[in-house]
Amino acid sequence: NIDEEHLKKLAAATDSDVYLSDSSPLDIPFWNLRTSATEEVRLRHISEGTPGSPCPKGLLKYNSEFSKIPVCTASRFYQKRKLKHLPEENLSAEQLLVAKKKVLDKACICHDLGGSALIKNSINPDATSCICCGPNIENFSKIATLEEMVDHIYGRLSLLTNKDRAHMFVKEAMIYVEYLRKEVEKYSMDLSVQKEKYLLEFKENLLNGLMYYSHLAEQYFEEKRVLFLEELENLHKEIECITLVPATVENNR
C-alpha cells in the first residue's frame, strides 16, 4: 500500500534520507523519510509562515496548554500559540532555537501515515504520504515481489544493494549512541526530560552491551571478525567521549 512516487523514493533512499526524528506529536522517536510528501508539506508551511497541520483527524489530541479542549502538538492551532509563547519562557538564545525546532518538527502522522494507501487505492489522489521506514532501507534499492522478498528472507537469493553494510549489532548500537548524544546535548541546555541518573545508566548499559557483543564475536564470528571488533572499539570511544554537563555549568561558561 505504497504509492508509486514513494516506492521510487524508498528505492533511491540513502543513509542521509532516513533519520530518527521528533515528528511524532507523542514525543516518541519516529523513523522518517526526508523526501516524503509530509516532510515537503511541513517545510513549505514553515517557509510560508503558517506552520502546523489543519489536524483533519485529531487522533493525537492530548495537549491542553493553550486550550481547555486538548489539541495535537502538530496542529496549526498549537504551533502558532507555542511559538508566540516561547520568548516568554526565559530561554537563552541557544535554548530558544532548539525549542522552536522541537515545535516545528512535529508532523501530522496520524492522518498522513495512511496517505499512501489512499493514493494507491484511488480513494484520495491528493492525500499526503508520510513514510516510516527504518535505516536498513539504504541497503535495498529494488522494488521486489513478495516471492522475491520471501526468497531473500530464506537465503535463496539476495536483494541487497550494499554488500558491505554494517553488521546489525553495530547498526543498532550506532542508533543508541546517536540517541544518547542528542539527549545529552539537550540535557546540557536544560531541555531534556531525562534525568542525569537515566542518562548515566543508559551510557553504562551501552558500554556493557558493546562488551557483550565483543565476547560474541570472539566465540562465534569468523567472517569479518576483525572489522566488527574495530567498529565496536570506535563506538566505545565515541561513548566514552559523551559527558554530561549540567545546564547551570554550561550557561556560566
Side-chain angles (χ1 to χ4, degrees):
N1 271 327
I2 302 293
D3 60 275
E4 192 67 27
E5 179 187 358
H6 284 83
L7 270 180
K8 292 177 180 178
K9 288 181 177 182
L10 285 171
T14 64
D15 179 55
S16 60
D17 292 324
V18 182
Y19 71 111
L20 197 58
S21 73
D22 289 322
S23 297
S24 170
L26 300 179
D27 284 329
I28 298 169
F30 180 87
W31 286 108
N32 213 343
L33 183 67
R34 293 185 192 276
T35 56
S36 70
T38 287
E39 279 299 280
E40 291 173 353
V41 169
R42 182 182 69 83
L43 294 173
R44 187 177 74 243
H45 285 167
I46 293 172
S47 67
E48 293 173 349
T50 56
S53 164
C55 199
K57 287 190 178 296
L59 299 179
L60 300 181
K61 292 181 176 181
Y62 74 94
N63 186 287
S64 55
E65 186 176 355
F66 302 108
S67 60
K68 292 182 179 180
I69 301 174
V71 298
C72 178
T73 55
S75 68
R76 188 163 297 156
F77 176 92
Y78 173 83
Q79 292 194 7
K80 178 181 178 180
R81 287 159 179 76
K82 185 64 177 179
L83 291 171
K84 184 178 180 180
H85 185 265
L86 282 177
E88 302 173 12
E89 296 184 9
N90 296 319
L91 301 173
S92 67
E94 188 179 21
Q95 288 175 319
L96 186 59
L97 283 175
V98 175
K100 282 183 177 180
K101 184 179 183 303
K102 183 177 181 181
V103 173
L104 296 171
D105 278 347
K106 301 298 183 242
C108 183
I109 60 175
C110 80
H111 178 263
D112 292 359
L113 274 173
S116 281
L118 297 178
I119 296 171
K120 185 175 178 65
N121 295 288
S122 302
I123 298 172
N124 181 4
D126 298 321
T128 305
S129 296
C130 178
I131 304 293
C132 177
C133 56
N136 202 37
I137 195 71
E138 67 173 305
N139 298 305
F140 300 88
S141 61
K142 177 184 177 182
I143 299 174
T145 65
L146 177 59
E147 182 178 3
E148 287 173 323
M149 288 187 280
V150 172
D151 285 344
H152 173 84
I153 291 169
Y154 285 97
R156 291 188 286 267
L157 63 81
S158 176
L159 295 175
L160 282 173
T161 301
N162 179 17
K163 304 292 184 181
D164 298 321
R165 63 174 179 165
H167 191 281
M168 64 176 183
F169 287 169
V170 173
K171 189 68 176 179
E172 180 186 43
M174 289 169 63
I175 294 168
Y176 284 126
V177 171
E178 184 61 24
Y179 168 78
L180 176 63
R181 182 182 290 109
K182 288 181 178 179
E183 286 302 317
V184 168
E185 287 175 357
K186 287 191 279 188
Y187 175 81
S188 70
M189 291 185 284
D190 199 24
L191 293 174
S192 176
V193 297
Q194 308 296 353
K195 303 298 183 184
E196 180 180 2
K197 182 176 183 292
Y198 168 86
L199 295 173
L200 290 174
E201 287 181 354
F202 195 99
K203 179 178 178 179
E204 186 64 27
N205 287 338
L206 263 181
L207 292 172
N208 290 336
L210 295 186
M211 186 178 299
Y212 175 70
Y213 285 168
S214 65
H215 290 327
L216 285 181
E218 294 293 350
Q219 294 179 57
Y220 301 111
F221 290 13
E222 292 183 9
E223 186 180 356
K224 298 184 179 180
R225 177 190 293 170
V226 174
L227 177 60
F228 180 79
L229 291 173
E230 286 178 356
E231 291 174 330
L232 290 185
E233 179 61 26
N234 290 335
L235 284 173
H236 189 280
K237 291 177 181 177
E238 282 189 50
I239 297 170
E240 289 287 9
C241 290
I242 299 175
T243 55
L244 272 68
V245 180
T248 52
V249 175
E250 184 69 20
N251 291 338
N252 288 333
R253 288 183 178 178

